Amino acid sequence: MDAILIQLLTGLAGASSLFLVAAGLTVIFGVTRVVNFAHGSLFMLGAYIAWSILVHLPRAPGWHAAGVLLAALATAGIGALLEIGLLRRLYRAPELLQLLATFGVLLVVQDLTLLLWGPNDLALPRPSWLRGSVAIAGARFPAYDLLLIGIGPLVLAALWLLFSRTRWGTLVRAATQDREMVAALGVDQSVLFTTVFALGAGLAGLGGALALPDGSANLQMDLTVITDAFVVVVVGGMGSLPGAYLAALLIALLQAFGVMLLPNATLVLMFVVMAAVLAVRPHGLLGRALAPARGEAQATALIRPASPALRGLGLAVLALAMAAPFLAGPFVLSVLTEALVAMLFAASLHAMMGPGGMASFGHAAWFGIGAYAAALAAKGLLMPMPVGLLLGPLLAGAAALAFGWFVVRLSGVYLAMLTLAFAQIVWAVAFQSDLTGGDNGVLGIWPDAWAQDPRVFYALALVLCAGGTLGLRRVLFSPFGYALRAARDAPARAEAIGLWPARLRLAAFALAGAAAGLAGAVGTYSKGSVFPTTISISRSVDALLMVLLGGVQTMSGPIVGALAYTGLYDVLIRATDLWRLCLGLIIIALVLAFPQGIAGAAARDRTA
Amino acid sequence: MLEIVGLHSRYGLAHILHGVSFAAAAGEVLVLLGRNGAGKSTTLKSIIGLVRPAAGRVRFDGVDVAGWEPHRIARAGLGYVPEDRRIFADLTVAENLLVGRQPARPGLAPWTEARLFALFPNLATLRDRPAGRMSGGEQQMLTIARTLMGNPRCILLDEPAEGLAPVIVAQMAQAILALKAEGVTVVLAEQNLHFAASVGDRAAVIETGRVIWSGPMAALQGDAALRAAHLHL
């Protein structure tokens, strides 16, 4: 009983921290409709700034509180600069490109933090009042955690007052519903957006500063926190503050008690709950269906078959690729094989994202299932390579079919988040299971004797990956592909002419999963090993980057994007330690310069 | 007061306005008359800046505001009431009015909640009700009241009587005449000639993105051929 009480209190303290971050994220999303990937970075900056301030202040509680508030204010200022310098230029861009830009910010902040504060975790020397504890039910409970338990509801109440009792709050709520109308009534939106962003950033900074005494400021906190915050915001309902608190409570209690009951499954548990909530309530606990924020351009470009010139170029590239074994050495061939795998991976995501209208945050799941299926077929079942290459897409496609049943009923951000949840479940299984070798992965998977020669394996990869990509293209220009796009653009009308949108989307989802699985299987034999990182969030983001860089509304986009991205990545990693900074800046610059992607921009220039 | 000269507007590739020109004098009610799709709504949106005009001038009090951000145009004293009302459904009536509030303007008695409730008595009893849970007529009154909170010197009304019960339409006409009496210039987009005639001083007839006739309301009413050619269904 006592242990339960202590876990309950631990859970409540965790809920407060989670809520602070999630509240900022949800407020920013509500008004600007930007899903801010860099929100975790603001949390991290809050912690680092608080550390820098607090080590110079006297250790008394009053000074500590002042330092924490100062850190929150500084983070709010950084948020305002970020909004003015970057996001303001992107409000009319498609939401996934906004996401991409904020991911660029995340990369930049990671390297800047490393440069400014160094690689070591920074813990705060804890004065006695921070180390104190209170006797509760015979156990010692940290006094600081009790403080945290109080802060969460306090902040919720303060935000409620701010949004319901002030003109600014009323304007923000009005802008959440119809920002164009708010502008037509004489309200300067840019001031509103900047202040909202600053508030959200300040809340993230406050969360980071408050989390400091219980841990340390470290370079991993941004991604950890953003994943948790995404889950909380989505479970609670995007844009809903009470929902965020409720979800923070649910997730934090789940984590606190999960540690007691299922210590090995805490990672999975959080995402299982999220998937369950979204399956029952597709818009989260207290969320509502989002009307598209009025006042943004949402015209989707038409996808047209390639022009003769582009076809010619494609054929030339293909001919060059076929000639490569006679021109290049083993190293170049292995790099090219990687590029081919990336191309099919990107093309498979594009198929569901562009024509299917389903943007996935967890596309690495299917790639990973394919990779592990091939690896386990080779190492566990001692099967020859063709079996592995067949099992990869089959299993990935089957898993996508089963999981797709939940997914295809959702749309937009919720769909993206559910796919992320599923990818995290697959990742956690791979990471925590003995069958998959856990963190050590599966090693020593090599092609069969007949394909050991890098030239032969390259040729095989070319046939499978280029064939797969062209096959996807063929499908998307078939009647099925047109029906899919009809279901994307006008579900009700598609249904009225006898199409079945949910089934079309499910078929596209499974097809994309199978293609990604094939890419994963080829990649496994090419690399000789597979690790849980294959399924990590950053791998999913890689795929998104490739597609978005290339442009969603072109068929050549994912190909161009995959080649550009893998090339860029290789060059940067070789050239500099600050590759995150460079990659982040390049992503931001590309998004600002080509809001429709590289291939999309080329297509636009042709028509203009 | 408001002078529109050669206004062109596009939605993507669709060219909607082909040089709209008309003028509204201070304190009058000008009716922009035309059939569905003639370009009435686009004209009003282009004036307030929600659609950025491709060419042409929007002179308000002698200043060309074409190409300004909507909030600047609104602050200059132009109010806009959209056809689809666009009330903030989750906000109460009082909060909707609060969003519209702007500083008072010299020479005009500032609108207050009390004065607006006097103009639209139905709203007074609904002060704390979420706007989404009101009838269409009440929402239409709210959207006008909300815009008036900005103390506009000229108000653009986009088919305010559309789809309303006859008794509410009569109230709406009363309200428009009351605004005129306050000295507010009214530009009313309308396809109902009867309603237009009950409030309008002058009319501009718009068809396929051009103003093809303008003159006193009485002259339009006396010209059966013109009405038959351009206004009747």
Side-chain angles (χ1 to χ4, degrees):
Chain A
M1 193 61 216
D2 297 348
I4 290 181
L5 181 66
I6 293 295
Q7 287 306 322
L8 184 72
L9 291 174
T10 309
L12 287 175
S16 282
S17 305
L18 266 182
F19 170 68
L20 287 180
V21 189
L25 194 62
T26 215
V27 167
I28 290 175
F29 176 82
V31 177
T32 63
R33 293 295 152 94
V34 171
V35 179
N36 180 19
F37 229 117
H39 203 67
S41 310
L42 294 166
F43 175 86
M44 180 170 80
L45 284 174
Y48 273 98
I49 293 171
W51 183 87
S52 290
I53 293 174
L54 290 174
V55 291
H56 291 108
L57 288 182
R59 300 276 162 80
W63 284 106
H64 186 92
V68 166
L69 286 180
L70 199 60
L73 281 178
T75 317
I78 293 171
L81 290 178
L82 192 62
E83 199 275 341
I84 294 169
L86 176 64
L87 290 162
R88 178 171 294 184
R89 296 158 214 277
L90 294 174
Y91 289 131
R92 286 177 192 279
E95 61 181 5
L96 278 165
L97 279 173
Q98 300 169 344
L99 197 82
L100 193 64
T102 57
F103 187 76
V105 173
L106 178 134
L107 292 173
V108 170
V109 172
Q110 271 184 345
D111 265 0
L112 287 182
T113 311
L114 179 67
L115 279 177
L116 284 171
W117 281 283
N120 296 325
D121 291 7
L122 302 178
L124 200 63
R126 301 216 292 179
S128 54
W129 69 271
L130 269 178
R131 285 195 303 266
S133 59
V134 181
I136 293 175
R140 312 287 305 166
F141 189 76
Y144 186 72
D145 283 10
L146 280 183
L147 192 67
L148 283 183
I149 292 177
I151 287 177
L154 213 62
V155 170
L156 177 63
L159 288 174
W160 183 80
L161 282 176
L162 181 65
F163 283 117
S164 61
R165 290 284 183 268
T166 66
R167 174 154 197 260
W168 181 84
T170 309
L171 291 181
V172 168
R173 283 189 294 141
T176 306
Q177 293 173 48
D178 188 344
R179 58 199 198 198
E180 196 180 79
M181 192 61 225
V182 171
L185 289 170
V187 177
D188 188 350
Q189 287 188 87
S190 50
V191 173
L192 206 56
F193 281 25
T194 307
T195 46
V196 162
F197 208 89
L199 173 72
L203 286 170
L206 182 64
L210 286 173
L212 191 57
D214 271 349
S216 62
N218 61 68
L219 291 166
Q220 288 80 47
M221 54 205 307
D222 53 351
L223 271 178
T224 319
V225 157
I226 195 64
T227 318
D228 291 356
F230 274 160
V231 171
V232 167
V233 166
V234 166
V235 167
M238 308 226 33
S240 163
L241 276 174
Y245 188 73
L246 207 60
L249 216 56
L250 180 69
I251 299 291
L253 288 176
L254 200 74
Q255 282 174 335
F257 286 103
V259 171
M260 272 172 83
L261 303 173
L262 300 161
N264 286 328
T266 46
L267 289 170
V268 182
L269 212 54
M270 181 163 88
F271 290 100
V272 169
V273 167
M274 170 168 160
V277 168
L278 288 190
V280 181
R281 291 191 59 90
H283 301 290
L285 293 174
L286 298 184
R288 273 179 297 172
L290 287 173
R294 298 185 72 154
E296 57 193 326
Q298 278 297 1
T300 328
L302 286 176
I303 299 182
R304 293 199 178 82
S307 64
L310 194 60
R311 272 168 207 255
L313 185 67
L315 282 176
V317 172
L318 192 61
L320 201 65
M322 287 198 281
F326 308 103
L327 306 171
F331 174 72
V332 173
L333 284 180
S334 80
V335 171
L336 286 178
T337 307
E338 286 300 305
L340 285 169
V341 169
M343 179 180 80
L344 180 56
F345 185 36
S348 68
L349 176 60
H350 170 264
M352 59 180 279
M353 217 171 121
M358 299 175 283
S360 166
F361 264 42
H363 205 58
W366 322 118
F367 185 88
I369 290 176
Y372 270 101
L376 294 176
K379 294 299 282 189
L381 307 174
L382 304 174
M383 291 290 185
M385 182 170 71
V387 177
L389 289 178
L390 193 66
L391 271 181
L394 277 183
L395 278 181
L401 193 65
F403 177 66
W405 185 83
F406 291 98
V407 172
V408 296
R409 296 176 307 138
L410 301 180
S411 60
V413 179
Y414 286 94
L415 187 147
M417 289 298 145
L418 195 56
T419 52
L420 170 74
F422 186 70
Q424 287 302 101
I425 294 171
V426 175
W427 174 81
V429 168
F431 189 75
Q432 290 180 327
S433 154
D434 294 331
L435 181 69
T436 54
D439 201 14
N440 298 323
V442 186
L443 305 170
I445 312 135
W446 299 112
D448 294 349
W450 58 269
Q452 292 273 354
D453 186 331
R455 284 174 294 184
V456 176
F457 188 78
Y458 167 80
L460 181 68
L462 181 63
V463 168
L464 290 177
C465 294
T469 306
L470 289 172
L472 282 174
R473 186 194 166 280
R474 179 78 201 82
V475 169
L476 294 176
F477 280 114
S478 70
F480 168 77
Y482 290 111
L484 186 64
R485 274 174 266 162
R488 173 196 69 188
D489 293 339
R493 282 184 222 177
E495 218 160 339
I497 58 168
L499 300 173
W500 190 351
R503 207 171 61 175
L504 288 167
R505 283 153 64 97
L506 184 58
F509 197 80
L511 181 71
L518 178 62
V522 175
T524 296
Y525 283 106
S526 154
K527 278 194 169 159
S529 56
V530 55
F531 304 100
T533 48
T534 314
I535 316 169
S536 65
I537 294 181
S538 63
R539 187 78 189 130
S540 291
V541 172
D542 283 349
L544 271 176
L545 284 173
M546 291 184 234
V547 174
L548 292 171
L549 278 180
V552 179
Q553 300 307 342
T554 59
M555 286 293 169
S556 49
I559 304 172
V560 176
L563 299 181
Y565 184 71
T566 44
L568 189 69
Y569 195 81
D570 275 1
V571 169
L572 282 178
I573 280 205
R574 262 177 259 277
T576 166
D577 284 341
L578 296 175
W579 64 271
R580 283 188 200 87
L581 183 71
C582 298
L583 186 62
L585 289 175
I586 290 171
I587 290 172
I588 292 169
L590 282 175
V591 171
L592 285 176
F594 306 112
Q596 304 299 327
I598 300 173
R604 190 187 54 210
D605 288 349
R606 272 202 312 279
T607 54
Chain B
M1 170 93 268
L2 182 67
E3 190 190 0
I4 312 300
V5 185
L7 201 61
H8 285 255
S9 283
R10 296 187 172 85
Y11 288 117
L13 293 176
H15 197 160
I16 307 292
L17 301 187
H18 302 266
V20 169
S21 300
F22 65 87
E28 74 171 359
V29 178
L30 178 112
V31 187
L32 198 56
L33 269 167
R35 294 179 177 130
N36 257 342
K40 302 185 298 293
S41 290
T42 306
T43 302
L44 296 194
K45 283 184 180 172
S46 303
I47 295 172
I48 193 66
L50 291 180
V51 172
R52 187 175 282 256
R57 284 194 299 269
V58 177
R59 224 179 267 134
F60 182 57
D61 266 355
V63 182
D64 186 8
V65 300
W68 286 17
E69 292 281 318
H71 75 266
R72 276 188 70 201
I73 299 178
R75 285 180 183 184
L78 260 172
Y80 168 67
V81 177
E83 181 181 12
D84 44 358
R85 299 177 192 141
R86 299 175 77 161
I87 49 136
F88 304 114
D90 292 348
L91 272 55
T92 64
V93 167
E95 286 173 335
N96 267 277
L97 295 179
L98 185 63
V99 173
R101 196 183 72 199
Q102 292 290 331
R105 260 167 241 288
L108 275 178
W111 288 98
T112 59
E113 218 177 68
R115 284 189 68 209
L116 287 168
F117 287 164
L119 185 64
F120 299 111
N122 302 31
L123 292 181
T125 53
L126 303 169
R127 189 176 179 277
D128 294 314
R129 179 173 306 185
R133 283 195 269 132
M134 301 200 309
S135 72
E138 289 158 355
Q139 292 187 358
Q140 186 64 57
M141 291 174 187
L142 176 60
T143 183
I144 296 174
R146 182 181 65 180
T147 299
L148 287 175
M149 281 297 277
N151 299 309
R153 279 175 298 143
C154 172
I155 189 166
L156 314 169
L157 297 173
D158 198 349
E159 301 203 32
E162 192 192 16
L164 299 182
V167 55
I168 310 283
V169 172
Q171 285 182 27
M172 203 57 77
Q174 291 273 308
I176 291 172
L177 292 175
L179 290 183
K180 183 185 163 188
E182 290 279 340
V184 178
T185 309
V186 179
V187 174
L188 172 72
E190 193 52 72
Q191 50 179 324
N192 179 340
L193 183 61
H194 180 71
F195 181 73
S198 68
V199 295
D201 299 315
R202 287 195 314 119
V205 177
I206 184 168
E207 190 172 270
T208 56
R210 285 182 192 84
V211 171
I212 49 150
W213 184 90
S214 58
M217 201 71 217
L220 179 64
Q221 283 183 293
D223 191 339
L226 178 72
R227 294 202 310 271
H230 300 293
L231 296 174
H232 293 164
L233 294 177

